Amino acid sequence: MVVPEGPAGAANLRYEGTEIELPLERPTLGRPAMDVSALGGHHLAVYDPGYANTAAYQSAITFVDGEAGHLYYRGYPVEQLASSSFLEVAYLLIYGDLPTSQQAEEFVARVRDPKLVPHAAIERLFDWFPQSMHPMAMLSMATEALTAYAEDDPGADPRARVEAAGIRLLSAMPVFTGYAMSVLRGLPKGRSNRSLDYSEDLLQLCFTIPGSDHLPDNATARALNTLLVLHADHELNCSTATLRMVASSGAGFYSGVSAAINALWGPLHGGANQAVIRMLKEIKDSGKPLSHFLERAKDKMDPFLLMGFGHRVYKSYDARAKVIRQVALDLVEKLAPEDPLLDIALQLEKVALEDEYFVLRRLYPNVDFYSGIIYRAIGFPDEMFTPLFVVGRSAGWVAHWLEMTTTSNKIGRPTQIYTGPKERSVPKNPATA
Ligand code: CMC
C-alpha cells in the first residue's frame, strides 16, 4: 500500500489481482485517513480492534496531538484555557469560538436560569437511591429521567432543540452531583445557588450542610474550575464515541448522555481516577516497595495495571496531566499536607518513567493520575471522582451531539470477523445426537 505525498490523493490497495483506489481524507491536523467505503464492494472489511485506526466521523471540536502531548479545543491549546471559566470553555466547544463578554453573560444566564433547576420528581428519585449505590449510576438514571421532564418543542428546528437540551444538561449536572453526594453522606439535599459561579455552586451543593451558609474558598473553586475545563472534551474517546453511536440511531439526547455516563464509568476510562486512589491506598497499606507494584504491572499474567498511566492517543506526557500535577502540588499542600498519597504518586511516577517497560511503551501519567488526589484533598469521597469528570465532559457531549445534528451521519454499525460455526442443521433428536 502506498500513501502518496501531497494535498489529496489516494492509496492503492492490491488484492487478488485487483487494484482498489482508496481516496484520502486529509484533516487539518493529524493522520490522513483512507476512505474504505469501496471495500464492501470487493467483499473486504477492515479489522481494527478497539477502533484504534478508524476515523468514524469528521469533527471540528477537539484535537489530541498524542505524539507532542498537546490538546486543542477548537484550535486553542488547553493550557491557555486552563484558567478560563468552565462555561466560557463550554461555549467555545459548543459554538466554535470564545464568547464576547455579552455572549458569555447571555450564555451564563441561560445555563444558570433558576427555572432550569431539575423537576421535583427527579429530585425525589434520589430519595430512592440507597447510600450504597454508585453515584455514576445515579447520574445516569437522573439524566435519562430528564427525558420525561424537560420541556421540548418537537416543532422547533433540530439544532435549537439540541441546544436547549444541552443547556438544560449543563444546568442540571452540578445539581445532580450535589444530590448524589447528599445520598452518599446520608444528608438532606442542598439547593443550587444560582448567584454563585458554576464551580462554587457545585462545591456548595456538595459540601454545605443545609441551613448553614458555608461558601467554598476561592482557591478550591478555581482548582475545580480548572479540572472541569481540562475534562471538557477529548475527541472520540470511549464515552463520546458511545454518545455518537446512540445519536446515530436517532435516539434522544439525554439517552445518549446517559449511555455515555455509563461508558465513562469503567476503570479503563473515567473510572480510572477512583481506581488510582484505590491503588495508591493499596500501595501504602501493603508496606511493600514500589518495585513490587511495577513488577506486577508488567506481568501479563497479573491483571494489575498502573492505573492513571498509559493512553490510547498520548505517546508523551498527557497535556492535561501536566496542568493537573501542578494544581495537585499547590492545592494538596494547602488543604491536605498530611495526605501521604501525593508523595506515593510522585515517587511512583518517577520510578515508572525511568523503567524500561514504561519507556519502551511510551506510558505516561494521564489525566486521572493526579485528579483524584485533588478531589480527595477538597474532601470528595472516592466514588464522587468520576461524577466530577461527568460534569466537565458534559460540555463536550453537548458539542458533539450538536455537531451531529448539522452533519450527515450514517447509523453506527461496525462489522465483525465471524468465528462461529458455519451453517449446520439442527439434529432431528438433539438429545441423542
Ligand atoms: N500499566 C501497565 N501496562 C500498561 C498500562 C498500564 N497502565 N497501559 C498500557 N500498558 C501496556 C499494555 O499491557 C501493552 O503492553 P504490550 O504491548 O506488551 O501488550 C502496551 O502497554 C500498550 O497498551 P494497550 O493496552 O494496548 O493500550 P490501549 O490504547 O489499548 O489502552 C489504556 C489504553 C488507557 C486503556 C491503558 O493504557 C490502560 O489500561 N491504562 C490504565 C487505566 C487508565 O489509566 N485509564 C485512563 C485513561 S485516560 C482517561 C480517559 O480515558 O478517560
Side-chain angles (χ1 to χ4, degrees), residues 305-382:
L305 290 173
L306 213 52
M307 299 311 287
F309 255 75
H311 197 272
R312 170 63 60 79
V313 186
Y314 288 112
K315 298 301 161 208
S316 61
Y317 215 107
D318 183 327
R320 305 161 298 175
K322 271 187 216 154
V323 181
I324 290 183
R325 186 181 192 275
Q326 193 52 52
V327 175
L329 289 172
D330 296 343
L331 205 75
V332 174
E333 192 184 325
K334 181 170 172 289
L335 297 182
E338 72 294 344
D339 186 359
L341 297 196
L342 177 61
D343 265 348
I344 297 176
L346 290 167
Q347 286 169 37
L348 189 58
E349 177 189 347
K350 187 171 180 305
V351 290
L353 292 183
E354 287 165 357
D355 187 287
E356 193 185 43
Y357 173 97
F358 290 88
V359 173
L360 281 178
R361 288 169 182 75
R362 303 171 76 190
L363 303 171
Y364 291 85
N366 59 49
V367 68
D368 295 312
F369 194 64
Y370 288 106
S371 59
I373 293 175
I374 300 173
Y375 297 139
R376 192 174 140 87
I378 295 174
F380 286 106
D382 301 2

Side-chain angles (χ1 to χ4, degrees), residues 375-397:
Y375 297 139
R376 192 174 140 87
I378 295 174
F380 286 106
D382 301 2
E383 296 89 336
M384 290 305 295
F385 300 171
T386 319
L388 293 165
F389 196 149
V390 171
V391 180
R393 187 53 54 85
S394 294
W397 290 335

Side-chain angles (χ1 to χ4, degrees), residues 25 158 170 186 240 296 298 344:
E25 291 286 338
L170 292 174
T240 305
R296 283 192 63 192
K298 294 191 266 184
I344 297 176

Side-chain angles (χ1 to χ4, degrees), residues 282-299:
E282 187 188 338
I283 294 175
K284 177 180 136 319
D285 295 343
S286 74
K288 295 193 171 127
L290 292 175
S291 56
H292 168 80
F293 293 93
L294 277 198
E295 290 314 312
R296 283 192 63 192
K298 294 191 266 184
D299 179 357

Side-chain angles (χ1 to χ4, degrees), residues 48-370:
D48 185 20
Y51 310 119
N53 298 295
T54 295
Y57 305 98
Q58 299 204 355
S59 179
I61 303 169
T62 295
F63 178 69
V64 181
D65 181 343
E67 286 298 319
H70 293 313
L71 166 61
Y72 302 93
Y73 291 165
R74 302 281 188 184
Y76 296 112
V78 76
E79 304 84 330
Q80 292 180 23
L81 296 165
S83 44
S84 304
S85 91
F86 170 65
L87 286 183
E88 267 171 36
V89 173
Y91 184 101
L92 167 70
L93 290 167
I94 295 168
Y95 300 106
D97 263 314
L98 283 165
T100 61
S101 48
Q102 193 190 335
Q103 286 165 333
E105 216 172 285
E106 285 167 8
F107 185 66
V108 172
R110 286 185 73 190
V111 174
R112 307 288 291 145
D113 181 348
K115 290 198 292 300
L116 287 189
V117 167
H119 194 280
I122 303 186
E123 184 183 337
R124 280 200 301 275
L125 195 59
F126 284 81
D127 298 336
W128 290 94
F129 295 152
Q131 211 166 353
S132 58
M133 186 169 172
H134 197 286
M136 286 297 277
M138 298 184 206
L139 289 197
S140 156
M141 290 179 76
T143 302
E144 186 74 276
L146 279 175
T147 314
Y149 296 102
E151 287 152 32
D152 182 28
D153 174 6
D157 88 274
R159 198 181 154 85
R161 287 175 72 189
V162 173
E163 196 188 348
I167 298 247
R168 186 177 284 273
L169 179 82
L170 292 174
S171 182
M173 215 34 106
V175 182
F176 288 166
T177 309
Y179 289 170
M181 178 96 166
S182 73
V183 175
L184 277 192
R185 294 199 300 170
L187 289 173
K189 293 184 279 303
R191 294 277 146 245
S192 179
N193 179 344
R194 300 278 159 155
S195 66
L196 293 177
D197 158 77
Y198 200 81
S199 306
E200 289 170 343
D201 195 23
L202 174 57
L203 281 171
Q204 74 83 21
L205 271 157
C206 289
F207 292 106
T208 303
I209 308 285
S212 77
D213 55 1
H214 162 87
L215 284 181
D217 81 276
N218 279 340
T220 309
R222 270 201 312 277
L224 188 58
N225 176 76
T226 298
L227 286 164
L228 296 183
V229 168
L230 295 172
H231 285 87
D233 196 43
H234 212 237
E235 322 174 336
L236 281 180
N237 51 80
C238 178
S239 52
T240 305
T242 300
L243 176 100
R244 280 193 177 251
M245 183 66 101
V246 175
S248 80
S249 78
F253 173 69
Y254 299 118
S255 309
V257 175
S258 181
I261 291 172
N262 288 318
L264 187 74
W265 187 0
L268 298 188
H269 192 13
N273 53 17
Q274 187 181 346
V276 168
I277 296 299
R278 198 181 306 124
M279 173 187 76
L280 295 174
K281 282 180 186 164
E282 187 188 338
I283 294 175
K284 177 180 136 319
D285 295 343
S286 74
K288 295 193 171 127
L290 292 175
S291 56
H292 168 80
F293 293 93
L294 277 198
E295 290 314 312
R296 283 192 63 192
K298 294 191 266 184
D299 179 357
K300 302 291 175 200
M301 304 305 288
D302 187 330
F304 181 87
L305 290 173
L306 213 52
M307 299 311 287
F309 255 75
H311 197 272
R312 170 63 60 79
V313 186
Y314 288 112
K315 298 301 161 208
S316 61
Y317 215 107
D318 183 327
R320 305 161 298 175
K322 271 187 216 154
V323 181
I324 290 183
R325 186 181 192 275
Q326 193 52 52
V327 175
L329 289 172
D330 296 343
L331 205 75
V332 174
E333 192 184 325
K334 181 170 172 289
L335 297 182
E338 72 294 344
D339 186 359
L341 297 196
L342 177 61
D343 265 348
I344 297 176
L346 290 167
Q347 286 169 37
L348 189 58
E349 177 189 347
K350 187 171 180 305
V351 290
L353 292 183
E354 287 165 357
D355 187 287
E356 193 185 43
Y357 173 97
F358 290 88
V359 173
L360 281 178
R361 288 169 182 75
R362 303 171 76 190
L363 303 171
Y364 291 85
N366 59 49
V367 68
D368 295 312
F369 194 64
Y370 288 106

